[in-house]
Amino acid sequence: MKNEKSNNPISVRSRQWIIQSLLKLMEEKPFQKIAIKEITDDAGLVRKTFYRNFQTKEEVLYEYISELMQEAEKKFEALESLSPYSMTLIYFEFWKEHVPFLNLVHKNDLFIILLKHLQEYAPTIFVKFKADIMKNFDETFLKYYTEFHSAGIWHMLEKWIDSGTKETPEQLARIYADISLNKPHLKS
């Protein structure tokens, strides 16, 4: 799916302009109706530059989500305590900063792209941040554990966006922690 991306400053800048143009256009019209030419015209680039950097519009979104996930990873690295609550709190605090993007993706029925990316990224996070906890389990368990948690957290994110982000990241982290630790949250 991905081309090898150049780290040439001009190429990096062109990719950023393409990403920003696509996001801007998505605010104005449905993703499926946006043409590559519209993106390049808005970015002030030629189509050849688009195809030198990306194969599809979906790949543009994928690169932007990759950048977001790298940003989120830095926040995970700063965690002192690796608990379901602390990790989920960081996750939802991070996405709260990007609600306009999530709304664009949701409005365009593209939320599944986030899940696909999370499924690719989650094993790295689990290995990196839960290595001690996970070392006692076999590969089959870890494979399904990762899929289960990726889908669960993704569905929570989608439900949160769908319902207007009414709950706080703290509330969502508590819910996830209660589910993960099999401690149903009781009304008091």
Side-chain angles (χ1 to χ4, degrees):
M1 177 178 184
K2 293 175 29 170
N3 294 334
E4 275 301 311
K5 304 293 184 196
S6 170
N7 288 328
N8 173 308
I10 293 170
S11 182
V12 170
R13 184 188 66 211
S14 295
R15 286 196 307 271
Q16 288 304 308
W17 287 351
I18 290 167
I19 290 168
Q20 294 310 313
S21 291
L22 176 60
L23 295 176
K24 177 183 163 207
L25 290 167
M26 284 174 65
E27 291 174 7
E28 300 167 6
K29 64 194 295 188
F31 178 83
Q32 297 304 332
K33 295 189 184 232
I34 298 171
I36 302 297
K37 180 163 178 27
E38 290 176 277
I39 297 168
T40 57
D41 285 351
D42 186 79
L45 301 168
V46 295
R47 287 172 57 101
K48 183 178 179 180
T49 302
F50 180 94
Y51 289 111
R52 195 177 304 127
N53 290 286
F54 301 103
Q55 294 176 9
T56 65
K57 296 181 296 187
E58 290 79 8
E59 193 174 327
V60 175
L61 280 179
Y62 191 86
E63 180 160 324
Y64 183 66
I65 293 167
S66 293
E67 291 172 8
L68 291 175
M69 294 303 281
Q70 290 170 7
E71 191 181 320
E73 183 177 3
K74 290 176 186 168
K75 294 185 183 284
F76 281 108
E77 287 173 353
L79 279 177
E80 292 180 23
S81 165
L82 298 179
S83 68
Y85 179 84
S86 66
M87 292 180 76
T88 308
L89 179 61
I90 290 290
Y91 178 81
F92 281 103
E93 284 177 340
F94 173 79
W95 283 116
K96 185 175 183 170
E97 297 171 16
H98 300 283
V99 167
F101 171 70
L102 292 173
N103 283 327
L104 274 179
V105 171
H106 189 265
K107 176 179 86 173
N108 282 279
D109 295 322
L110 296 168
F111 222 78
I112 194 73
I113 290 175
L114 288 170
L115 175 61
K116 288 178 181 180
H117 196 65
L118 189 58
Q119 286 172 322
E120 288 179 23
Y121 199 78
T124 304
I125 290 177
F126 285 129
V127 166
K128 205 171 200 180
F129 300 109
K130 289 187 161 189
D132 292 338
I133 298 168
M134 307 309 271
K135 68 182 176 191
N136 297 322
F137 296 101
D138 67 23
E139 289 301 313
T140 302
F141 174 84
L142 293 175
K143 176 175 65 174
Y144 287 100
Y145 176 89
T146 301
E147 291 297 315
F148 177 82
H149 284 282
S150 297
I153 199 83
W154 173 79
H155 276 290
M156 284 183 71
L157 183 64
E158 184 178 38
K159 178 58 76 180
W160 185 52
I161 292 301
D162 193 42
S163 63
T165 62
K166 294 175 187 157
E167 297 82 10
T168 65
E170 292 82 5
Q171 288 172 305
L172 294 166
R174 174 58 42 218
I175 291 166
Y176 183 82
D178 287 350
I179 292 167
S180 295
L181 300 171
N182 198 23
K183 295 180 180 178
H185 188 76
L186 303 174
K187 288 185 178 182
S188 28

